[in-house]
Amino acid sequence: MSKLPLPDLGHYLREQRESAQLSLRQLADMAGISNPYLSQIERGLKRPSAEILQQIAKGLQVSAESLYVRAGILDERDDTVAPAAAPDVLTAIAADPGLTDRQRGVLVEIYQSFVGADAGTARHVAPTGATTPTKES
């Protein structure tokens, strides 16, 4: 059974914003979006892109992964999935326990810069076991 993720996302964002003691305008400024747009996201009227969610996550200091799951971009982690199933890039990034939230956010941002803003939906990756990129000096 599938639930509509947008109201859950909006409710979660509002809770996080209020617990961080941020006004709608403050969070919108931090995320680089208009406060009417953020209000529409919180009310479940607009579906934000992965990039916007990442910016909101930074402003709220929460995991971008949790926002992706609530928005329906990523599925919740399921440890029962067969190892032969090749996850998409964003799922692989989210599932890597060796990454911090900041590293996940940076990897998502880099990936999206290579494939475009609509990459948050249906992209396929290299086979399981591929290594993550390393930082070059």
Side-chain angles (χ1 to χ4, degrees):
M1 293 190 179
S2 168
K3 62 180 179 179
L4 184 63
L6 294 179
D8 183 44
L9 171 67
H11 180 73
Y12 178 76
L13 288 175
R14 180 169 289 163
E15 283 179 348
Q16 293 301 310
R17 179 177 57 78
E18 289 172 351
S19 79
Q21 298 180 340
L22 293 171
S23 70
L24 194 68
R25 187 175 307 272
Q26 288 171 317
L27 180 57
D29 287 343
M30 293 169 84
I33 59 176
S34 71
N35 55 322
Y37 182 57
L38 179 58
S39 174
Q40 290 174 339
I41 294 170
E42 283 190 357
R43 289 181 287 142
L45 302 175
K46 293 288 184 180
R47 179 182 210 93
S49 67
E51 182 179 324
I52 295 295
L53 286 174
Q54 182 179 354
Q55 291 169 240
I56 292 171
K58 284 180 187 176
L60 291 172
Q61 297 181 349
V62 298
S63 162
E65 174 190 353
S66 67
L67 298 187
Y68 294 155
V69 169
R70 289 178 187 273
I73 294 172
L74 289 179
D75 291 330
E76 289 189 66
R77 290 186 189 180
D78 184 2
D79 296 333
T80 63
V81 173
D88 71 350
V89 173
L90 295 176
T91 302
I93 292 170
D96 190 330
L99 297 173
T100 65
D101 286 343
R102 182 176 183 281
Q103 290 168 328
R104 283 186 186 96
V106 169
L107 284 173
V108 168
E109 188 175 316
I110 291 168
Y111 174 71
Q112 289 175 337
S113 75
F114 281 112
V115 296
D118 61 351
T121 53
R123 295 281 183 182
H124 296 289
V125 227
T128 308
T131 58
T132 56
T134 57
K135 182 179 176 184
E136 295 181 349
S137 299

